[in-house]
Amino acid sequence: MTYLVYVAAFGTAATFFLWLRDARIFYRTALPGYRQAAYRGVLYSALALFGFLMALTNPDLEFLALGAVLLALYLQGRVSREKVWTGGESAATRFFGNVPRR
């Protein structure tokens, strides 16, 4: 097992985090762009998990598995979403949910 398995694990965790973030924002705002992103996030998370498990079980295919994880991350970022934040807030206030929403 090489370091690429750890890179695949981190990429898979990031994909799951982005999916859950989109689902949480859709739950709070009901914006259709985040609904679409949350639905697609299920598929992208499954692709990333498949890539991670492939890297974990078959060391000969680590590069192909890492490519699947990176493809999932790339596709996750290409989904179009609406602007949720009104602007001027810090990342900490957005993280803790103290920001006024539309």
PDB file of all heavy atoms in Angstrom, residues 47-76:
ATOM      1  N   LEU A  47     -18.840   7.155  -6.963  1.00  0.00           N
ATOM      2  CA  LEU A  47     -17.679   7.001  -7.845  1.00  0.00           C
ATOM      3  C   LEU A  47     -16.377   7.130  -7.051  1.00  0.00           C
ATOM      4  O   LEU A  47     -15.442   6.343  -7.241  1.00  0.00           O
ATOM      5  CB  LEU A  47     -17.718   8.033  -8.970  1.00  0.00           C
ATOM      6  CG  LEU A  47     -16.527   8.064  -9.925  1.00  0.00           C
ATOM      7  CD1 LEU A  47     -16.425   6.757 -10.699  1.00  0.00           C
ATOM      8  CD2 LEU A  47     -16.646   9.253 -10.862  1.00  0.00           C
ATOM      9  N   ALA A  48     -16.328   8.095  -6.150  1.00  0.00           N
ATOM     10  CA  ALA A  48     -15.123   8.278  -5.332  1.00  0.00           C
ATOM     11  C   ALA A  48     -14.910   7.096  -4.394  1.00  0.00           C
ATOM     12  O   ALA A  48     -13.777   6.640  -4.207  1.00  0.00           O
ATOM     13  CB  ALA A  48     -15.231   9.574  -4.534  1.00  0.00           C
ATOM     14  N   LEU A  49     -15.985   6.589  -3.820  1.00  0.00           N
ATOM     15  CA  LEU A  49     -15.861   5.437  -2.935  1.00  0.00           C
ATOM     16  C   LEU A  49     -15.409   4.202  -3.713  1.00  0.00           C
ATOM     17  O   LEU A  49     -14.581   3.415  -3.227  1.00  0.00           O
ATOM     18  CB  LEU A  49     -17.184   5.169  -2.231  1.00  0.00           C
ATOM     19  CG  LEU A  49     -17.184   4.068  -1.179  1.00  0.00           C
ATOM     20  CD1 LEU A  49     -16.239   4.429  -0.046  1.00  0.00           C
ATOM     21  CD2 LEU A  49     -18.585   3.855  -0.655  1.00  0.00           C
ATOM     22  N   PHE A  50     -15.923   4.030  -4.927  1.00  0.00           N
ATOM     23  CA  PHE A  50     -15.481   2.929  -5.778  1.00  0.00           C
ATOM     24  C   PHE A  50     -13.990   3.046  -6.077  1.00  0.00           C
ATOM     25  O   PHE A  50     -13.253   2.056  -6.014  1.00  0.00           O
ATOM     26  CB  PHE A  50     -16.290   2.908  -7.082  1.00  0.00           C
ATOM     27  CG  PHE A  50     -15.765   1.934  -8.086  1.00  0.00           C
ATOM     28  CD1 PHE A  50     -15.945   0.576  -7.917  1.00  0.00           C
ATOM     29  CD2 PHE A  50     -15.094   2.382  -9.201  1.00  0.00           C
ATOM     30  CE1 PHE A  50     -15.456  -0.324  -8.847  1.00  0.00           C
ATOM     31  CE2 PHE A  50     -14.598   1.501 -10.139  1.00  0.00           C
ATOM     32  CZ  PHE A  50     -14.783   0.136  -9.960  1.00  0.00           C
ATOM     33  N   GLY A  51     -13.533   4.254  -6.384  1.00  0.00           N
ATOM     34  CA  GLY A  51     -12.123   4.458  -6.650  1.00  0.00           C
ATOM     35  C   GLY A  51     -11.254   4.180  -5.429  1.00  0.00           C
ATOM     36  O   GLY A  51     -10.192   3.568  -5.543  1.00  0.00           O
ATOM     37  N   PHE A  52     -11.714   4.607  -4.270  1.00  0.00           N
ATOM     38  CA  PHE A  52     -10.953   4.355  -3.049  1.00  0.00           C
ATOM     39  C   PHE A  52     -10.875   2.862  -2.751  1.00  0.00           C
ATOM     40  O   PHE A  52      -9.806   2.344  -2.414  1.00  0.00           O
ATOM     41  CB  PHE A  52     -11.571   5.097  -1.867  1.00  0.00           C
ATOM     42  CG  PHE A  52     -10.979   4.704  -0.554  1.00  0.00           C
ATOM     43  CD1 PHE A  52      -9.666   5.005  -0.242  1.00  0.00           C
ATOM     44  CD2 PHE A  52     -11.735   4.006   0.379  1.00  0.00           C
ATOM     45  CE1 PHE A  52      -9.116   4.638   0.968  1.00  0.00           C
ATOM     46  CE2 PHE A  52     -11.189   3.634   1.584  1.00  0.00           C
ATOM     47  CZ  PHE A  52      -9.879   3.944   1.881  1.00  0.00           C
ATOM     48  N   LEU A  53     -11.987   2.165  -2.877  1.00  0.00           N
ATOM     49  CA  LEU A  53     -11.976   0.731  -2.603  1.00  0.00           C
ATOM     50  C   LEU A  53     -11.140  -0.024  -3.626  1.00  0.00           C
ATOM     51  O   LEU A  53     -10.489  -1.021  -3.288  1.00  0.00           O
ATOM     52  CB  LEU A  53     -13.406   0.197  -2.564  1.00  0.00           C
ATOM     53  CG  LEU A  53     -14.247   0.672  -1.381  1.00  0.00           C
ATOM     54  CD1 LEU A  53     -15.670   0.156  -1.502  1.00  0.00           C
ATOM     55  CD2 LEU A  53     -13.625   0.259  -0.077  1.00  0.00           C
ATOM     56  N   MET A  54     -11.128   0.455  -4.859  1.00  0.00           N
ATOM     57  CA  MET A  54     -10.295  -0.173  -5.872  1.00  0.00           C
ATOM     58  C   MET A  54      -8.816   0.047  -5.551  1.00  0.00           C
ATOM     59  O   MET A  54      -7.999  -0.856  -5.716  1.00  0.00           O
ATOM     60  CB  MET A  54     -10.632   0.394  -7.260  1.00  0.00           C
ATOM     61  CG  MET A  54      -9.967  -0.336  -8.387  1.00  0.00           C
ATOM     62  SD  MET A  54     -10.609   0.063 -10.018  1.00  0.00           S
ATOM     63  CE  MET A  54     -10.399   1.810 -10.107  1.00  0.00           C
ATOM     64  N   ALA A  55      -8.467   1.219  -5.072  1.00  0.00           N
ATOM     65  CA  ALA A  55      -7.072   1.490  -4.690  1.00  0.00           C
ATOM     66  C   ALA A  55      -6.672   0.683  -3.466  1.00  0.00           C
ATOM     67  O   ALA A  55      -5.533   0.258  -3.341  1.00  0.00           O
ATOM     68  CB  ALA A  55      -6.883   2.974  -4.414  1.00  0.00           C
ATOM     69  N   LEU A  56      -7.618   0.473  -2.578  1.00  0.00           N
ATOM     70  CA  LEU A  56      -7.323  -0.252  -1.349  1.00  0.00           C
ATOM     71  C   LEU A  56      -7.128  -1.749  -1.594  1.00  0.00           C
ATOM     72  O   LEU A  56      -6.251  -2.366  -0.997  1.00  0.00           O
ATOM     73  CB  LEU A  56      -8.456  -0.031  -0.346  1.00  0.00           C
ATOM     74  CG  LEU A  56      -8.232  -0.441   1.094  1.00  0.00           C
ATOM     75  CD1 LEU A  56      -7.085   0.368   1.678  1.00  0.00           C
ATOM     76  CD2 LEU A  56      -9.489  -0.219   1.890  1.00  0.00           C
ATOM     77  N   THR A  57      -7.913  -2.314  -2.487  1.00  0.00           N
ATOM     78  CA  THR A  57      -7.869  -3.757  -2.691  1.00  0.00           C
ATOM     79  C   THR A  57      -6.884  -4.198  -3.764  1.00  0.00           C
ATOM     80  O   THR A  57      -6.360  -5.307  -3.691  1.00  0.00           O
ATOM     81  CB  THR A  57      -9.260  -4.296  -3.060  1.00  0.00           C
ATOM     82  OG1 THR A  57      -9.715  -3.636  -4.243  1.00  0.00           O
ATOM     83  CG2 THR A  57     -10.227  -4.074  -1.916  1.00  0.00           C
ATOM     84  N   ASN A  58      -6.651  -3.370  -4.769  1.00  0.00           N
ATOM     85  CA  ASN A  58      -5.788  -3.768  -5.881  1.00  0.00           C
ATOM     86  C   ASN A  58      -4.679  -2.736  -6.062  1.00  0.00           C
ATOM     87  O   ASN A  58      -4.883  -1.713  -6.725  1.00  0.00           O
ATOM     88  CB  ASN A  58      -6.608  -3.909  -7.159  1.00  0.00           C
ATOM     89  CG  ASN A  58      -5.865  -4.642  -8.234  1.00  0.00           C
ATOM     90  OD1 ASN A  58      -4.669  -4.908  -8.111  1.00  0.00           O
ATOM     91  ND2 ASN A  58      -6.571  -4.965  -9.299  1.00  0.00           N
ATOM     92  N   PRO A  59      -3.494  -2.980  -5.529  1.00  0.00           N
ATOM     93  CA  PRO A  59      -2.410  -1.989  -5.621  1.00  0.00           C
ATOM     94  C   PRO A  59      -1.905  -1.765  -7.047  1.00  0.00           C
ATOM     95  O   PRO A  59      -1.280  -0.750  -7.317  1.00  0.00           O
ATOM     96  CB  PRO A  59      -1.299  -2.563  -4.750  1.00  0.00           C
ATOM     97  CG  PRO A  59      -1.831  -3.762  -4.090  1.00  0.00           C
ATOM     98  CD  PRO A  59      -3.128  -4.115  -4.702  1.00  0.00           C
ATOM     99  N   ASP A  60      -2.194  -2.686  -7.948  1.00  0.00           N
ATOM    100  CA  ASP A  60      -1.746  -2.502  -9.330  1.00  0.00           C
ATOM    101  C   ASP A  60      -2.539  -1.436 -10.066  1.00  0.00           C
ATOM    102  O   ASP A  60      -2.062  -0.871 -11.049  1.00  0.00           O
ATOM    103  CB  ASP A  60      -1.854  -3.826 -10.098  1.00  0.00           C
ATOM    104  CG  ASP A  60      -0.925  -4.886  -9.530  1.00  0.00           C
ATOM    105  OD1 ASP A  60       0.108  -4.501  -8.940  1.00  0.00           O
ATOM    106  OD2 ASP A  60      -1.240  -6.079  -9.658  1.00  0.00           O
ATOM    107  N   LEU A  61      -3.744  -1.159  -9.601  1.00  0.00           N
ATOM    108  CA  LEU A  61      -4.609  -0.189 -10.271  1.00  0.00           C
ATOM    109  C   LEU A  61      -4.755   1.107  -9.481  1.00  0.00           C
ATOM    110  O   LEU A  61      -5.776   1.787  -9.580  1.00  0.00           O
ATOM    111  CB  LEU A  61      -5.994  -0.810 -10.505  1.00  0.00           C
ATOM    112  CG  LEU A  61      -6.035  -2.032 -11.408  1.00  0.00           C
ATOM    113  CD1 LEU A  61      -7.442  -2.587 -11.467  1.00  0.00           C
ATOM    114  CD2 LEU A  61      -5.536  -1.687 -12.793  1.00  0.00           C
ATOM    115  N   GLU A  62      -3.743   1.473  -8.718  1.00  0.00           N
ATOM    116  CA  GLU A  62      -3.849   2.672  -7.872  1.00  0.00           C
ATOM    117  C   GLU A  62      -4.015   3.941  -8.691  1.00  0.00           C
ATOM    118  O   GLU A  62      -4.771   4.831  -8.316  1.00  0.00           O
ATOM    119  CB  GLU A  62      -2.634   2.798  -6.974  1.00  0.00           C
ATOM    120  CG  GLU A  62      -2.694   1.929  -5.760  1.00  0.00           C
ATOM    121  CD  GLU A  62      -1.499   2.119  -4.858  1.00  0.00           C
ATOM    122  OE1 GLU A  62      -0.489   2.694  -5.311  1.00  0.00           O
ATOM    123  OE2 GLU A  62      -1.579   1.691  -3.704  1.00  0.00           O
ATOM    124  N   PHE A  63      -3.311   4.035  -9.813  1.00  0.00           N
ATOM    125  CA  PHE A  63      -3.420   5.248 -10.621  1.00  0.00           C
ATOM    126  C   PHE A  63      -4.799   5.381 -11.255  1.00  0.00           C
ATOM    127  O   PHE A  63      -5.367   6.473 -11.325  1.00  0.00           O
ATOM    128  CB  PHE A  63      -2.339   5.283 -11.699  1.00  0.00           C
ATOM    129  CG  PHE A  63      -0.974   5.534 -11.150  1.00  0.00           C
ATOM    130  CD1 PHE A  63      -0.003   4.548 -11.200  1.00  0.00           C
ATOM    131  CD2 PHE A  63      -0.662   6.737 -10.562  1.00  0.00           C
ATOM    132  CE1 PHE A  63       1.260   4.774 -10.683  1.00  0.00           C
ATOM    133  CE2 PHE A  63       0.592   6.975 -10.031  1.00  0.00           C
ATOM    134  CZ  PHE A  63       1.555   5.989 -10.095  1.00  0.00           C
ATOM    135  N   LEU A  64      -5.367   4.282 -11.705  1.00  0.00           N
ATOM    136  CA  LEU A  64      -6.710   4.303 -12.263  1.00  0.00           C
ATOM    137  C   LEU A  64      -7.733   4.645 -11.181  1.00  0.00           C
ATOM    138  O   LEU A  64      -8.665   5.418 -11.412  1.00  0.00           O
ATOM    139  CB  LEU A  64      -7.030   2.948 -12.894  1.00  0.00           C
ATOM    140  CG  LEU A  64      -8.367   2.829 -13.599  1.00  0.00           C
ATOM    141  CD1 LEU A  64      -8.423   3.783 -14.782  1.00  0.00           C
ATOM    142  CD2 LEU A  64      -8.586   1.407 -14.067  1.00  0.00           C
ATOM    143  N   ALA A  65      -7.548   4.086  -9.995  1.00  0.00           N
ATOM    144  CA  ALA A  65      -8.450   4.373  -8.882  1.00  0.00           C
ATOM    145  C   ALA A  65      -8.357   5.834  -8.456  1.00  0.00           C
ATOM    146  O   ALA A  65      -9.368   6.480  -8.182  1.00  0.00           O
ATOM    147  CB  ALA A  65      -8.123   3.463  -7.710  1.00  0.00           C
ATOM    148  N   LEU A  66      -7.143   6.365  -8.416  1.00  0.00           N
ATOM    149  CA  LEU A  66      -6.973   7.775  -8.075  1.00  0.00           C
ATOM    150  C   LEU A  66      -7.586   8.669  -9.143  1.00  0.00           C
ATOM    151  O   LEU A  66      -8.147   9.721  -8.837  1.00  0.00           O
ATOM    152  CB  LEU A  66      -5.491   8.092  -7.892  1.00  0.00           C
ATOM    153  CG  LEU A  66      -5.148   9.454  -7.315  1.00  0.00           C
ATOM    154  CD1 LEU A  66      -5.764   9.623  -5.945  1.00  0.00           C
ATOM    155  CD2 LEU A  66      -3.667   9.641  -7.254  1.00  0.00           C
ATOM    156  N   GLY A  67      -7.526   8.241 -10.379  1.00  0.00           N
ATOM    157  CA  GLY A  67      -8.188   8.981 -11.449  1.00  0.00           C
ATOM    158  C   GLY A  67      -9.691   9.025 -11.262  1.00  0.00           C
ATOM    159  O   GLY A  67     -10.331  10.046 -11.532  1.00  0.00           O
ATOM    160  N   ALA A  68     -10.293   7.934 -10.786  1.00  0.00           N
ATOM    161  CA  ALA A  68     -11.736   7.918 -10.528  1.00  0.00           C
ATOM    162  C   ALA A  68     -12.097   8.880  -9.400  1.00  0.00           C
ATOM    163  O   ALA A  68     -13.099   9.604  -9.486  1.00  0.00           O
ATOM    164  CB  ALA A  68     -12.189   6.505 -10.191  1.00  0.00           C
ATOM    165  N   VAL A  69     -11.280   8.923  -8.367  1.00  0.00           N
ATOM    166  CA  VAL A  69     -11.537   9.835  -7.246  1.00  0.00           C
ATOM    167  C   VAL A  69     -11.398  11.285  -7.703  1.00  0.00           C
ATOM    168  O   VAL A  69     -12.232  12.140  -7.385  1.00  0.00           O
ATOM    169  CB  VAL A  69     -10.591   9.524  -6.066  1.00  0.00           C
ATOM    170  CG1 VAL A  69     -10.703  10.578  -4.989  1.00  0.00           C
ATOM    171  CG2 VAL A  69     -10.880   8.153  -5.503  1.00  0.00           C
ATOM    172  N   LEU A  70     -10.373  11.572  -8.469  1.00  0.00           N
ATOM    173  CA  LEU A  70     -10.176  12.941  -8.947  1.00  0.00           C
ATOM    174  C   LEU A  70     -11.251  13.349  -9.942  1.00  0.00           C
ATOM    175  O   LEU A  70     -11.664  14.515  -9.981  1.00  0.00           O
ATOM    176  CB  LEU A  70      -8.784  13.086  -9.558  1.00  0.00           C
ATOM    177  CG  LEU A  70      -7.623  12.966  -8.568  1.00  0.00           C
ATOM    178  CD1 LEU A  70      -6.293  13.041  -9.300  1.00  0.00           C
ATOM    179  CD2 LEU A  70      -7.719  14.026  -7.507  1.00  0.00           C
ATOM    180  N   LEU A  71     -11.735  12.405 -10.749  1.00  0.00           N
ATOM    181  CA  LEU A  71     -12.844  12.697 -11.656  1.00  0.00           C
ATOM    182  C   LEU A  71     -14.104  13.043 -10.865  1.00  0.00           C
ATOM    183  O   LEU A  71     -14.834  13.979 -11.224  1.00  0.00           O
ATOM    184  CB  LEU A  71     -13.099  11.503 -12.578  1.00  0.00           C
ATOM    185  CG  LEU A  71     -14.274  11.648 -13.529  1.00  0.00           C
ATOM    186  CD1 LEU A  71     -13.978  12.717 -14.569  1.00  0.00           C
ATOM    187  CD2 LEU A  71     -14.587  10.320 -14.189  1.00  0.00           C
ATOM    188  N   ALA A  72     -14.356  12.318  -9.792  1.00  0.00           N
ATOM    189  CA  ALA A  72     -15.516  12.617  -8.948  1.00  0.00           C
ATOM    190  C   ALA A  72     -15.401  14.008  -8.328  1.00  0.00           C
ATOM    191  O   ALA A  72     -16.380  14.759  -8.291  1.00  0.00           O
ATOM    192  CB  ALA A  72     -15.656  11.561  -7.861  1.00  0.00           C
ATOM    193  N   LEU A  73     -14.214  14.366  -7.863  1.00  0.00           N
ATOM    194  CA  LEU A  73     -14.024  15.708  -7.303  1.00  0.00           C
ATOM    195  C   LEU A  73     -14.203  16.789  -8.365  1.00  0.00           C
ATOM    196  O   LEU A  73     -14.799  17.839  -8.116  1.00  0.00           O
ATOM    197  CB  LEU A  73     -12.635  15.829  -6.685  1.00  0.00           C
ATOM    198  CG  LEU A  73     -12.477  15.301  -5.277  1.00  0.00           C
ATOM    199  CD1 LEU A  73     -11.013  15.287  -4.878  1.00  0.00           C
ATOM    200  CD2 LEU A  73     -13.274  16.142  -4.321  1.00  0.00           C
ATOM    201  N   TYR A  74     -13.703  16.537  -9.559  1.00  0.00           N
ATOM    202  CA  TYR A  74     -13.837  17.503 -10.648  1.00  0.00           C
ATOM    203  C   TYR A  74     -15.299  17.701 -11.022  1.00  0.00           C
ATOM    204  O   TYR A  74     -15.764  18.834 -11.183  1.00  0.00           O
ATOM    205  CB  TYR A  74     -13.028  17.028 -11.851  1.00  0.00           C
ATOM    206  CG  TYR A  74     -13.220  17.870 -13.079  1.00  0.00           C
ATOM    207  CD1 TYR A  74     -12.642  19.136 -13.169  1.00  0.00           C
ATOM    208  CD2 TYR A  74     -13.965  17.414 -14.143  1.00  0.00           C
ATOM    209  CE1 TYR A  74     -12.807  19.915 -14.293  1.00  0.00           C
ATOM    210  CE2 TYR A  74     -14.146  18.187 -15.271  1.00  0.00           C
ATOM    211  CZ  TYR A  74     -13.571  19.429 -15.348  1.00  0.00           C
ATOM    212  OH  TYR A  74     -13.746  20.200 -16.459  1.00  0.00           O
ATOM    213  N   LEU A  75     -16.024  16.612 -11.166  1.00  0.00           N
ATOM    214  CA  LEU A  75     -17.434  16.710 -11.541  1.00  0.00           C
ATOM    215  C   LEU A  75     -18.268  17.339 -10.434  1.00  0.00           C
ATOM    216  O   LEU A  75     -19.238  18.044 -10.706  1.00  0.00           O
ATOM    217  CB  LEU A  75     -17.972  15.327 -11.898  1.00  0.00           C
ATOM    218  CG  LEU A  75     -17.404  14.703 -13.168  1.00  0.00           C
ATOM    219  CD1 LEU A  75     -17.901  13.273 -13.320  1.00  0.00           C
ATOM    220  CD2 LEU A  75     -17.737  15.531 -14.379  1.00  0.00           C
ATOM    221  N   GLN A  76     -17.899  17.094  -9.186  1.00  0.00           N
ATOM    222  CA  GLN A  76     -18.618  17.689  -8.057  1.00  0.00           C
ATOM    223  C   GLN A  76     -18.512  19.217  -8.093  1.00  0.00           C
ATOM    224  O   GLN A  76     -19.453  19.911  -7.757  1.00  0.00           O
ATOM    225  CB  GLN A  76     -18.046  17.156  -6.744  1.00  0.00           C
ATOM    226  CG  GLN A  76     -18.714  17.669  -5.505  1.00  0.00           C
ATOM    227  CD  GLN A  76     -19.963  16.889  -5.165  1.00  0.00           C
ATOM    228  OE1 GLN A  76     -20.155  15.790  -5.626  1.00  0.00           O
ATOM    229  NE2 GLN A  76     -20.802  17.482  -4.359  1.00  0.00           N
TER     230      GLN A  76
END
